[in-house]
Amino acid sequence: MQRAVLLLGANADMAESMARHFAQRGYQLLLASRNTEKLASLESDLKIRYDADVQVFRFDANDYPSHHAFYHSLPVKPDVVVVAFGVLGDTEMAMGDWNSSQEIISANFTGAVSIVNVVALDFQQRQAGTIVGISSVAGERGRQSNFIYGSAKAGFTAYLSGLRNRLTRHKVHVVTVKPGFVRTKMIADVPTPVLLTATPDQVAKRIDRAIQKRKNVIYVLPVWRYIMLVIKLIPEFIFKKLSL
Amino acid sequence: MVRAISNWGNYPVIQANEFSISSQEDIRQRLLDSSLIVRGNGRCYGDASLAPSIVSSVGLNRFLAWNPMDGILTCQSGVLLSEILEVFVPKGWFLPVTPGTKYITVGGAVASDVHGKNHHVDGSFSQHVIELELMTGQGELITCSRDTHPDIFWATCGGMGLTGAILAVTFRLKKIATSFIRYHHIKARNLYEILDLFDQYSSATYSVAWIDCLIKGENFGRSILMLGETASPEDLTENNERLRAGKEPFLNVPFNFPAFALNKLSIRAFNALYYGKNLTKESRKIVHYEPFFYPLDSILNWNRIYGSRGFVQYQFVLPEDSGRKGIEDILQRISKRGLGSFLAVLKQFGYQNDLISFPMKGYTLALDIPIVYGLFEFLNQLDEVVAGYGGRIYLSKDARMSSEIFWKTYKNAPKFQEVILRYDPELKFCSELSKRLKIKG
């Protein structure tokens, strides 16, 4: 039977790469995003390139009350759900403006919890399914440059870990993805070290492999596991003085 | 982030900001800040897609509409020809016109109005374009074709990106029965023989000749004419998969070669081998389209063999009536000067008379020449000779022609300039080329 994947935040570069990857592997694609107009060209592209079975839906991570109806009105129940939405935001601006703080927290944490709760209950009942959450290495230790984003991702990472613990005995698998630097729109004009920067295509391949091999927590480039280990080992009395 | 950017010829190199984008809205935002030029995959040779502020179109990489009944495709301008082949060859469709590399964007194919080995029968790329979607300097969207806004349609085909940002292109693909070519090559002993052969084989769908520019005497202009037709299923053996896209390259030139690697001797040796390896006067075989159309694409970054000083490709066209005499004259000057090149390509063009496109009925010769001391003075003299024969130089390959030569040889240049200034009065789309040739900016 054809498997279906639901990509939440499908306009994100990583989600687009995943959509292409899953389309090539014959999945039915359910693409959801706040901006469905922008999704239209991705939809036509996937249909023309891969003869893929694609449908597009409007989904707003910040509109929590709509999440239950959104999920249960999908034409098919997905086998894989990927949470790919997220907002990096501007920490300096967010400090002085609660709305932008809230936007960062909602897009990276509360919005994700709200929709994944709905998905998780369905998967639990069906005793099947895979949930992929794209979190971030920024959630492993708060740094002054992006700690509002980082703390929201830390919350999301903890949520995914607890969810995995809850759902394992229901045969539902949860993958936490910590991409590190990725060549995406989010960091388009920020120069990053080449050896530490993955492409969205690499992310898609790694995630697909993680789903198949039932990995729990993945870093896209393995080197990040060690980088983050070192960052976590720095004693707080030193760490607090660093400009990271 | 300002960095050094150059196109395929590695000359000129400029310091520029290149912005990646993924939607037309991103371009509109950039237009508010400064003037810019859109750059595709950077396979034009000179300065046509260079400016202090560059917008890269490669993020506009989506197929928008496809009709398998009539083969009409609409895609965003950053889609590469290689992607089109990958998707559509297995479905039995091919590019209507393709240049010698598949690593160019569709937007670039329109902006340069590229030609291929079938120009004498099928014309240039723009002949197959039905509609263009364009963003003007004021951020306005224009859909143009032969019937709606024909003025800007024709100024955009071959217009080097100066009319605005090409966002999407609708054009017709060509139906193919197989992805193979019935290949036929004929050796010509000298220039007269090859020019006669072009006339004799003018009904062949694909034709092009490699020509030896260094040899003098009775073999002056010795050549190999390469002809091709799309093979039919009966031509194939059982081992051939009937419709198969080409493979991705696996050879790479990882660094710039030192300046001494290419010299008169090494090029002479290459030419002798190349001519000699085809032992028989004539031969026929079935080959995949990949080596036939894209022999150099199998080596990534082959431009690095010309070293860090870069190279120019000198490509000109001469009208039919003066063409034979002119080609002989110019080849003699090149041979006397000892300026050889691995790739000297001669081709007969069919009829074309568009606003600003390069091709015209006659002969075109293209040479890759490494940049050496005194080269530009010599090419300036050649420009005058080309102009004297009523010919002109291909803007997509050019990095150095003077504005005087441009205005003298592109007869419709005043009309072209009038259209682009009318649609872009604030001069939002300007390039190093448009400034050098005093077209705009």
Side-chain angles (χ1 to χ4, degrees):
Chain A
M1 212 187 81
Q2 191 186 28
R3 286 159 64 79
V5 56
L6 169 64
L7 293 171
L8 297 163
N11 273 319
D13 291 332
M14 281 188 250
E16 176 174 341
S17 288
M18 270 182 269
R20 291 181 190 282
H21 193 77
F22 284 119
Q24 274 171 298
R25 297 173 45 88
Y27 275 76
Q28 179 179 0
L29 298 166
L30 311 170
L31 309 180
S33 163
R34 192 162 43 181
N35 186 344
T36 49
E37 209 173 303
K38 224 169 154 187
L39 269 188
S41 64
L42 179 60
E43 180 187 8
S44 62
D45 186 78
L46 295 167
K47 284 179 175 164
I48 295 168
R49 265 183 220 257
Y50 312 111
D51 294 316
D53 180 349
V54 189
Q55 281 168 285
V56 166
F57 305 91
R58 208 190 107 76
F59 167 76
D60 184 349
N62 299 323
D63 185 7
Y64 316 134
S66 70
H67 290 176
H68 188 270
F70 159 79
Y71 183 75
H72 288 283
S73 65
L74 290 173
V76 292
K77 289 277 173 284
D79 302 284
V80 178
V81 173
V82 181
V83 178
F85 56 83
V87 169
L88 184 56
D90 179 334
T91 310
E92 211 42 57
M93 194 171 94
M95 285 297 285
D97 171 22
W98 175 241
N99 281 339
S100 47
S101 276
Q102 205 170 20
E103 197 190 330
I104 296 172
I105 295 164
S106 180
N108 295 301
F109 181 54
T110 40
V113 171
S114 166
I115 182 66
V116 176
N117 279 347
V118 177
V119 175
L121 287 177
D122 175 52
F123 280 13
Q124 180 177 326
Q125 198 196 347
R126 286 160 57 201
Q127 299 278 306
T130 303
I131 296 169
V132 179
I134 305 212
S135 191
S136 172
V137 294
E140 301 205 7
R141 193 164 192 179
R143 294 178 291 126
Q144 59 176 318
S145 57
N146 64 2
F147 64 95
I148 297 187
Y149 171 78
S151 57
K153 286 297 194 189
F156 188 40
T157 300
Y159 171 84
L160 291 170
S161 144
L163 191 70
R164 181 181 305 113
N165 189 202
R166 172 192 168 109
L167 293 179
T168 296
R169 65 195 149 95
H170 296 289
K171 301 190 189 104
V172 177
H173 183 56
V174 177
V175 184
T176 307
V177 184
K178 299 178 182 174
F181 294 139
V182 183
R183 269 279 125 241
T184 64
K185 292 194 274 286
M186 215 188 234
I187 58 162
D189 297 324
V190 186
T192 55
V194 177
L195 287 176
L196 303 183
T197 308
T199 64
D201 287 340
Q202 274 175 310
V203 179
K205 278 195 194 117
R206 291 277 299 177
I207 289 176
D208 188 32
R209 211 172 63 190
I211 294 171
Q212 309 213 24
K213 300 208 157 168
R214 296 181 87 78
K215 300 255 188 202
N216 300 313
V217 180
I218 63 162
Y219 293 81
V220 172
L221 297 177
V223 59
W224 277 97
R225 192 178 289 276
Y226 304 102
I227 294 174
M228 293 323 293
L229 184 66
V230 170
I231 286 182
K232 280 185 286 190
L233 282 174
I234 300 171
E236 190 66 17
F237 69 88
I238 297 174
F239 193 82
K240 70 178 183 183
K241 292 182 188 149
L242 300 176
S243 42
L244 287 164
Chain B
M1 182 179 40
V2 174
R3 65 183 179 96
I5 299 184
S6 61
N7 287 321
W8 195 241
N10 288 329
Y11 176 87
V13 181
I14 70 158
Q15 295 295 322
N17 246 316
E18 187 172 30
F19 302 101
S20 44
I21 51 144
S22 62
S23 71
Q24 58 190 44
E25 206 38 55
D26 299 344
I27 305 183
R28 201 174 272 131
Q29 286 305 318
R30 290 290 167 203
L31 281 170
L32 299 176
D33 293 346
S34 66
S35 83
L36 54 88
I37 194 74
V38 179
R39 180 173 189 249
N41 207 30
R43 289 294 184 116
C44 70
Y45 284 66
D47 54 1
S49 63
L50 298 181
S53 187
I54 296 171
V55 162
S56 167
S57 67
V58 296
L60 298 174
N61 62 346
R62 288 169 180 180
F63 291 106
L64 300 177
W66 162 243
N67 185 341
M69 302 306 291
D70 49 18
I72 293 175
L73 172 68
T74 303
C75 62
Q76 290 183 328
S77 58
V79 169
L80 295 174
L81 298 190
S82 60
E83 296 177 85
I84 295 178
L85 293 170
E86 214 174 286
V87 173
F88 290 98
V89 165
K91 299 184 205 279
W93 297 88
F94 199 73
L95 296 162
V97 163
T98 176
T101 174
K102 57 180 176 170
Y103 296 118
I104 68 163
T105 62
V106 172
V110 172
S112 292
D113 195 8
V114 296
H115 55 268
K117 295 174 167 60
N118 55 343
H119 184 274
H120 59 291
V121 286
D122 295 320
S124 64
F125 195 83
S126 67
Q127 318 295 306
H128 308 271
V129 173
I130 296 165
E131 198 174 89
L132 299 172
E133 197 189 356
L134 201 69
M135 183 181 285
T136 67
Q138 281 103 349
E140 195 189 332
L141 291 182
I142 293 186
T143 303
C144 61
S145 67
R146 286 168 176 74
D147 307 314
T148 45
H149 303 294
D151 52 349
I152 198 166
F153 177 82
W154 289 115
T156 302
C157 296
M160 311 312 290
L162 299 174
T163 53
I166 302 171
L167 300 176
V169 182
T170 300
F171 64 108
R172 215 174 243 114
L173 296 183
K174 170 181 177 165
K175 187 119 192 98
I176 49 169
T178 75
S179 55
F180 290 81
I181 298 290
R182 204 156 58 231
Y183 172 77
H184 177 192
H185 90 245
I186 307 167
K187 273 174 148 180
R189 279 184 310 256
N190 55 43
L191 184 64
Y192 312 106
E193 201 176 318
I194 186 67
L195 291 172
D196 287 341
L197 283 171
F198 269 117
D199 285 337
Q200 193 183 330
Y201 288 95
S202 61
S203 63
T205 307
Y206 299 108
S207 69
V208 71
W210 165 85
I211 184 163
D212 184 344
C213 302
L214 282 178
I215 200 150
K216 294 172 188 164
E218 64 179 31
N219 287 124
F220 170 71
R222 70 177 175 184
S223 317
I224 298 171
L225 178 66
M226 293 170 258
L227 303 166
E229 301 293 337
T230 303
S232 58
E234 299 80 64
D235 294 326
L236 306 186
T237 63
E238 282 169 18
N239 297 331
N240 297 134
E241 195 184 331
R242 193 166 68 85
L243 291 164
R244 170 171 70 74
K247 294 195 175 65
E248 286 307 296
F250 60 92
L251 291 173
N252 189 7
V253 179
F255 52 83
N256 283 320
F257 276 25
F260 59 80
L262 285 191
N263 55 45
K264 233 195 286 187
L265 259 179
S266 63
I267 293 175
R268 247 185 237 284
F270 173 86
N271 284 349
L273 278 172
Y274 197 84
Y275 192 77
K277 87 167 182 182
N278 295 295
L279 290 173
T280 49
K281 166 98 182 154
E282 269 193 65
S283 88
R284 292 164 199 273
K285 58 185 170 188
I286 302 291
V287 297
H288 190 258
Y289 75 77
E290 187 79 23
F292 182 74
F293 287 111
Y294 312 114
L296 286 168
D297 279 349
S298 59
I299 307 165
L300 276 180
N301 301 314
W302 62 261
N303 53 339
R304 289 180 179 158
I305 65 169
Y306 289 98
S308 59
R309 271 185 292 183
F311 69 108
V312 291
Q313 184 170 88
Y314 192 71
Q315 181 172 3
F316 62 87
V317 58
L318 299 182
E320 194 172 39
D321 48 352
S322 65
R324 284 180 162 247
K325 186 158 166 286
I327 292 281
E328 183 181 354
D329 180 2
I330 292 170
L331 269 179
Q332 248 155 9
R333 288 167 195 262
I334 290 167
S335 146
K336 206 183 286 169
R337 176 84 186 197
L339 283 181
S341 94
F342 280 116
L343 293 162
V345 169
L346 180 66
K347 157 112 199 99
Q348 192 172 37
F349 273 161
Y351 177 78
Q352 186 169 355
N353 185 20
D354 293 330
L355 182 65
I356 198 67
S357 294
F358 165 69
M360 64 165 90
K361 188 157 176 59
Y363 301 94
T364 182
L365 183 70
L367 312 134
D368 288 349
I369 310 169
I371 293 176
V372 292
Y373 182 74
L375 173 69
F376 285 4
E377 290 77 4
F378 174 70
L379 293 181
N380 288 342
Q381 293 163 16
L382 274 193
D383 289 349
E384 295 290 347
V385 179
V386 169
Y389 283 106
R392 58 187 173 220
I393 287 157
Y394 192 10
L395 299 183
S396 305
K397 307 278 177 81
D398 178 51
R400 37 132 312 262
M401 150 170 61
S402 71
S403 65
E404 291 75 24
I405 292 286
F406 169 75
W407 286 89
K408 202 184 327 179
T409 54
Y410 278 80
K411 300 284 188 283
N412 295 327
K415 203 175 154 204
F416 171 64
Q417 191 186 41
E418 186 268 310
V419 177
I420 58 178
L421 294 182
R422 183 146 41 83
Y423 281 94
D424 185 16
E426 292 172 45
L427 311 183
K428 285 294 190 183
F429 292 93
C430 296
S431 61
E432 297 296 302
L433 177 136
S434 77
K435 285 178 216 161
R436 175 167 57 83
L437 299 181
K438 300 195 169 63
I439 303 170
K440 198 183 185 188

